[in-house]
Amino acid sequence: MKGCDLMVEVGRRRFLGGLGVAAAGAAASAATAPQAGAAPAPALVEYPSHHLANLSQLKTDEPLAVAYPDKDAPGVLIKLGTRVPGGAGPDGDVVGYSTVCPHKGFPLAYLKEDRTLNCPGHYGRYDCEKGGQQIWGHATQNLAQYALRVDAKGDIWAEGVDELLYGRLNNVL
Ligand code: FES
């Protein structure tokens, strides 16, 4: 039974060694844990306000190419001619979307027959009348829609995006 006693002793040492590692880990995490009452890190993204176009430049179902929040983020403004949720302007029918597919980044094309943005990569489809909702495809999110504001002169401003832009960890990086 000497061999068996030796095995028990080795097992006991390993167990106690493991306790030591666990205690050290707990102490380290306690040392780095935020203090009670400390302000949490901000989670919101600060978006720039960018002038994109004027209402006079838009014609129903003819997308106008724009970029937001920077020149590396292509998108479109579309006057749908029908009031939609999230639509801007006096008729509530102006929407703006990224034109980079949220699946793998292919450029999207507008199809006026059903008011969708369509991807040539893997045939993803996004509904422009329903906030960029994915109708079909492989993306794990809907299409990023701009938060738009139209001022008294008809100037259209983008002031945010409601989904993550493809290829970015943060929409304004
Ligand atoms: Fe658009 Fe795959 S890149 S569906």
Side-chain angles (χ1 to χ4, degrees), residues 100-108 118-126 134 136-139 166:
V100 180
C101 183
H103 177 225
K104 289 197 173 180
F106 278 65
L108 301 173
N118 294 269
C119 180
H122 313 100
Y123 312 111
R125 291 167 46 73
Y126 304 92
Q134 184 173 210
W136 191 91
H138 316 279
Y166 177 80

Side-chain angles (χ1 to χ4, degrees), residues 21 74 82:
V21 170
T82 306

Side-chain angles (χ1 to χ4, degrees), residues 43-113:
L44 294 175
V45 173
E46 289 287 328
Y47 285 99
S49 180
H50 282 182
H51 177 256
L52 298 182
N54 186 277
L55 285 176
S56 63
Q57 296 174 258
L58 297 179
K59 295 192 174 92
T60 302
D61 282 327
E62 291 185 20
L64 179 71
V66 295
Y68 182 80
D70 55 48
K71 64 177 177 44
D72 296 324
V76 284
L77 288 177
I78 308 168
K79 179 175 174 60
L80 296 169
T82 306
R83 183 173 294 274
V84 293
D91 301 322
D93 65 343
V94 176
V95 290
Y97 292 100
S98 164
T99 51
V100 180
C101 183
H103 177 225
K104 289 197 173 180
F106 278 65
L108 301 173
Y110 185 65
L111 184 63
K112 68 180 179 183
E113 283 71 23

Side-chain angles (χ1 to χ4, degrees), residues 124-148:
R125 291 167 46 73
Y126 304 92
D127 191 335
C128 295
E129 292 182 318
K130 293 200 169 89
Q133 183 177 3
Q134 184 173 210
I135 302 166
W136 191 91
H138 316 279
T140 55
Q141 65 169 53
N142 293 324
L143 187 59
Q145 182 175 19
Y146 300 158
L148 298 177

